[in-house]
Amino acid sequence: MASRMLPDTFPAKAYLMIDNCSVEHPNVASWTADGTAFVVKDSAQLATYHLPRYFKHSKFQSFVRQLNIYGFRKDTAIPPGSREVVFRHDYFRQGREDLLESIKRTNKKPATTRKSATAAAAAKFVPASPSTTYSSSPPLSIDEWDDNQQPSLQ
């Protein structure tokens, strides 16, 4: 198979991996018959021998997490007991490398900055009852406590 020039993105790397597996190792991963999805038939083999060739890891779960981040969906129409996993994306099609640039990373939940996290925590803070008053004077020293270990209110 001729080497192709594709962008150095997750979708492009995944495309090359699946395309190459379809030809060289169809028992590990391949395109579906209609080319609209891909099937992982042996996740252990994919993780051990193929993921490290295209990605900086060899963990199938990390690969699946990345697929989810890019909007791929797992096909649930697999017979019970099957070890095969089918993944789909509208723009991930066999022979349609031109569609890969349309696959964008999704942000499922907005990033929380430290400042907004602090503001959210402050909004959840429940103050003491309204009848409680607080003094703006400095804390009492040990000499200012009476025998009952209560602060002197004088």
Side-chain angles (χ1 to χ4, degrees), residues 40-132:
V40 175
K41 300 172 185 173
D42 188 338
S43 60
Q45 290 286 320
L46 186 75
T48 303
Y49 299 107
H50 301 282
L51 288 178
R53 290 178 57 197
Y54 297 90
F55 305 100
K56 295 177 183 175
H57 62 81
S58 60
K59 296 179 181 171
F60 184 68
Q61 282 307 115
S62 294
F63 178 66
V64 170
R65 190 174 305 115
Q66 284 290 101
L67 289 172
N68 290 330
I69 289 171
Y70 279 89
F72 285 76
R73 294 291 163 245
K74 190 161 81 168
D75 194 339
T76 57
I78 303 296
S82 175
R83 297 186 64 134
E84 294 183 354
V85 185
V86 177
F87 293 97
R88 309 184 169 279
H89 191 289
D90 291 340
Y91 299 117
F92 197 82
R93 306 288 173 129
Q94 184 178 18
R96 295 294 311 269
E97 296 171 17
D98 59 304
L99 296 176
L100 294 175
E101 66 188 32
S102 299
I103 301 174
K104 304 293 182 199
R105 193 178 165 105
T106 60
N107 291 330
K108 292 187 178 186
K109 51 186 170 185
T112 305
T113 63
R114 186 171 192 94
K115 192 173 188 178
S116 64
T118 303
K124 292 179 183 176
F125 175 74
V126 179
S129 67
S131 63
T132 306

Side-chain angles (χ1 to χ4, degrees), residues 4-54:
R4 292 171 273 195
M5 292 300 295
L6 289 176
D8 190 27
T9 62
F10 174 80
K13 290 176 184 180
Y15 182 91
L16 287 174
M17 182 179 70
I18 299 304
D19 216 34
N20 288 336
C21 279
S22 281
V23 174
E24 299 170 10
H25 304 281
N27 59 323
V28 175
S30 65
W31 294 103
T32 56
D34 63 2
T36 61
F38 69 93
V39 184
V40 175
K41 300 172 185 173
D42 188 338
S43 60
Q45 290 286 320
L46 186 75
T48 303
Y49 299 107
H50 301 282
L51 288 178
R53 290 178 57 197
Y54 297 90

